[in-house]
Amino acid sequence: MQSYTIGQAARLLGVSPDTARRWADAGRVATHRDENGRRLIAGRDLAALAVETGQSGGGDDEPSYTTARNAFPGIVTAVKLGDIAAQVEIQAGPHRLVSLLTREAVEELGLEVGMRATARVKSTNVHIDRV
């Protein structure tokens, strides 16, 4: 399972590294240390926190300046596979994006909860790039 540094987690959540560090210190998200002593957050734990902060608007209070053609880097928070189709949810800071795509595409990208991905929005289409 992929893990993220405090700085990477902060960027994915749309908050400052200080905010992410405070949340970890307060026990809002569990951390562990790597062999170099860096604090890491497990991908599944970060995905759960991303959903929580996205629902509560818990990011920094800076406005988001985006256009319809922007990319939304974030973290996969849900993958629902059907026989043919699939649904992937990405939390990108305060934005929750849902994309319907083929099961084959999800399997080819290897998408799973806790991994980084970028949702690209153009008109009414959401494209997902594995990071």
Side-chain angles (χ1 to χ4, degrees):
M1 172 52 61
Q2 188 166 355
S3 293
Y4 300 89
T5 65
I6 295 289
Q8 291 170 325
R11 281 189 297 281
L12 292 168
L13 294 169
V15 299
S16 70
D18 286 338
T19 296
R21 204 170 289 109
R22 280 193 302 275
W23 288 350
D25 291 344
R28 193 166 175 189
V29 64
T31 62
H32 62 279
R33 298 216 180 247
D34 68 5
E35 62 278 354
N36 296 321
R38 294 181 307 168
R39 289 172 68 182
L40 300 175
I41 301 172
R44 287 195 179 273
D45 294 337
L46 183 57
L49 181 61
V51 169
E52 175 191 323
T53 59
Q55 290 173 344
S56 66
D60 289 345
D61 291 330
E62 295 181 23
S64 176
Y65 299 102
T66 60
T67 69
R69 293 176 187 245
N70 277 352
F72 292 85
I75 186 166
V76 176
T77 58
V79 176
K80 299 172 187 164
L81 296 175
D83 291 336
I84 297 171
Q87 178 179 309
V88 176
E89 296 181 23
I90 293 178
Q91 192 73 40
H95 309 289
R96 177 178 166 261
L97 296 112
V98 179
S99 180
L100 300 175
L101 54 164
T102 65
R103 178 186 181 116
E104 181 182 14
V106 171
E107 290 171 346
E108 193 174 295
L109 289 169
L111 295 175
E112 60 184 45
V113 172
M115 72 182 339
R116 290 187 318 166
T118 299
R120 296 190 186 277
V121 179
K122 181 178 178 191
S123 185
T124 59
N125 297 316
V126 177
H127 304 269
I128 296 179
D129 299 332
R130 181 174 171 180
V131 180

